[in-house]
Amino acid sequence: MKALVTGSTGQSGSYLIELLLEQNVEVFALVRRSSIGNTQRIDHLKDKITLIFGDMCDPCSLNHAVNYSKPDWVFNLAAMSFVGESWRQPKYTLDVVAGGTLNLLEAVRNYAPNAKFYQASSSEMFGSSPPPQNELTPFHPRSPYGVAKTAAHLMVQNYRESYGIQASCGILFNHESKRRGIEFVTRKVSHGVALIANGKATELRLGNLDAKRDWGHSFDYMRAAILMMLRDKPDDYVIGSEVAYSVRDFVSLAFARVGLDWEEHVLIDPAFVRPAEVNHLLADATKAKRELSWRPTITFHQLVNEMVD
Ligand code: NAP
Ligand code: GDD
């Protein structure tokens, strides 16, 4: 069994590759060229996988990657994934997330039409649709990133219906870990707490503390992605913990982990308030529980502690 993974150097790509290797899947990892190195999250796996250089915006490189690896499974995890940045780089976000997905679908259609395809869709697509959200909830994205993910999601469904591509979309709610990028709120807070606890900073500047998210662990959510690929029939699944907490809850627990009172250190800075907010994401993962027998194993409190520790 061979798998091609885009977004291999990201948080979830690294957990996914570890899980695939455990199952003796041969892994081809798409990596984009960097002048300083961007493979830290997979450096410990480099001897066990094949790196292929490429970029989601370059169809030639994706054609090569698919033709060279001849994969049974394609996991499309590559994205400009930071919602806040997508207002500053909307065109680039659309190009990578939506255009890149289209480029990859074409490469699969031409060079590996029987491969199973996994699309990293997002709860950000639900945007302002009231909670709980499941596979039937209408999309109302609130950011350029959300719009781009919705376009990619619909394109994947279209290739499934038009060309019989065996594509499944995992509509994943927020998932985090100690490998999370520094600009996302959970990592920013846990890192900020560590700096303050070690006397290297005194304050932490944040935006909207009222937003609610359904947070889980990246390891658990990548287990779900593989379970989707093991199904005979492609389909779309919502993956989430079915419990939502506010950003304030996360902040409070993270500071409490080191015996500090968050209200003595956190300042609200309008620079981190978004032009439009997604107020409340809460998964209804009934379908995944029923058809994939998937359950999360790491709780919100364990996640906060892992990230702060
Ligand atoms: P991440 O840590 O930001 O990783 C993104 C990956 O995409 C990185 O490997 C990055 O490469 C790569 N990438 C970005 N632009 C690219 C381009 N033009 N060509 C090739 N590769 C490119 O994100 P993540 O948390 O692992 O998330 C993985 C996927 O799931 C993303 O598609 C994200 O949108 C989606 N998703 C995430 C969540 C979540 O809560 N984590 C929830 C729902 C959906 P570099 O390392 O070189 O930057
Ligand atoms: N990043 C950040 N920084 N967010 C902040 C801050 C801050 O200083 N202050 C408050 N927030 C709020 C944001 O406004 C948002 O409501 C919430 O914290 C979570 O923000 P992020 O951690 O940046 O994640 P996200 O929910 O916008 O997007 C993540 O989840 C999506 C799935 O729902 C990303 O991983 C996306 O790629 C993913 O698709």
Side-chain angles (χ1 to χ4, degrees):
M1 180 74 74
K2 295 192 286 183
L4 173 65
V5 179
T6 77
S8 63
T9 55
Q11 168 190 238
S12 298
S14 64
Y15 285 106
L16 175 65
I17 293 173
E18 286 173 358
L19 286 163
L20 291 170
L21 290 174
E22 272 172 27
Q23 300 188 18
N24 293 320
V25 176
E26 185 180 353
V27 175
F28 296 81
L30 191 86
V31 174
R32 59 175 171 166
R33 191 257 164 194
S34 150
S35 68
I36 192 154
N38 54 355
T39 57
Q40 293 94 325
R41 291 189 182 102
I42 55 168
D43 277 344
H44 61 297
L45 306 170
K46 262 179 163 173
D47 292 344
K48 301 178 187 145
I49 62 180
T50 304
L51 302 189
I52 305 179
F53 285 93
D55 194 294
M56 298 304 289
C57 297
D58 177 10
C60 305
S61 68
L62 299 183
N63 288 341
H64 166 72
V66 175
N67 193 25
Y68 178 78
S69 58
K70 289 276 184 252
D72 302 291
W73 291 351
V74 176
F75 291 90
N76 183 29
L77 268 54
M80 199 310 284
S81 75
F82 183 38
V83 172
E85 188 60 27
S86 74
W87 278 278
R88 290 181 286 269
Q89 299 188 46
K91 173 66 164 56
Y92 176 70
T93 304
L94 195 67
D95 287 350
V96 175
V97 172
T101 299
L102 175 59
N103 292 339
L104 186 60
L105 285 166
E106 271 297 304
V108 167
R109 184 162 84 93
N110 287 320
Y111 296 105
N114 297 319
K116 288 186 178 175
F117 187 100
Y118 171 85
Q119 172 64 13
S121 290
S122 167
S123 52
E124 185 72 13
M125 301 186 306
F126 296 126
S128 57
S129 275
Q133 295 96 2
N134 65 23
E135 294 80 3
L136 302 176
T137 302
F139 298 137
H140 188 146
R142 299 269 288 163
S143 62
Y145 167 86
V147 171
K149 276 286 175 188
T150 306
H153 179 87
L154 296 175
M155 192 65 82
V156 171
Q157 289 181 331
N158 181 260
Y159 269 58
R160 185 166 71 205
E161 292 170 14
S162 304
Y163 304 116
I165 299 291
Q166 297 182 69
S168 297
C169 299
I171 307 174
L172 272 46
F173 283 61
N174 298 49
H175 43 284
E176 320 289 318
S177 73
K178 58 189 174 191
R179 299 182 192 169
R180 187 56 142 152
I182 192 73
E183 68 269 68
F184 299 90
V185 78
T186 55
R187 195 81 202 103
K188 183 176 171 182
V189 169
S190 52
H191 183 249
V193 166
L195 290 179
I196 293 168
N198 286 290
K200 293 179 177 169
T202 54
E203 63 179 41
L204 176 63
R205 291 177 175 268
L206 296 171
N208 175 19
L209 303 185
D210 295 324
K212 290 189 176 140
R213 290 291 181 275
D214 178 332
W215 277 294
H217 197 290
S218 180
F219 165 80
D220 275 334
Y221 288 41
M222 290 304 99
R223 283 179 34 244
I226 293 176
L227 288 172
M228 285 177 221
M229 297 296 244
L230 290 170
R231 297 275 297 174
D232 288 337
K233 208 171 132 291
D235 206 347
D236 306 326
Y237 294 92
V238 156
I239 301 294
S241 76
E242 303 189 311
V243 186
Y245 291 91
S246 67
V247 174
R248 185 178 290 98
D249 294 331
F250 190 101
V251 170
S252 164
L253 285 169
F255 275 89
R257 179 71 173 169
V258 295
L260 292 173
D261 178 355
W262 70 272
E263 291 184 270
E264 292 175 10
H265 299 281
V266 171
L267 300 175
I268 302 305
D269 185 337
F272 299 110
V273 176
R274 296 174 177 178
E277 180 61 286
V278 171
N279 291 319
H280 195 168
L281 292 176
L282 171 65
D284 166 10
T286 306
K287 183 176 170 187
K289 288 194 285 187
R290 187 180 62 237
E291 295 186 13
L292 304 176
S293 299
W294 176 83
R295 300 280 185 291
T297 63
I298 301 165
T299 66
F300 176 71
H301 289 74
Q302 288 170 326
L303 172 70
V304 176
N305 291 349
E306 174 191 310
M307 293 187 76
V308 174
D309 294 351

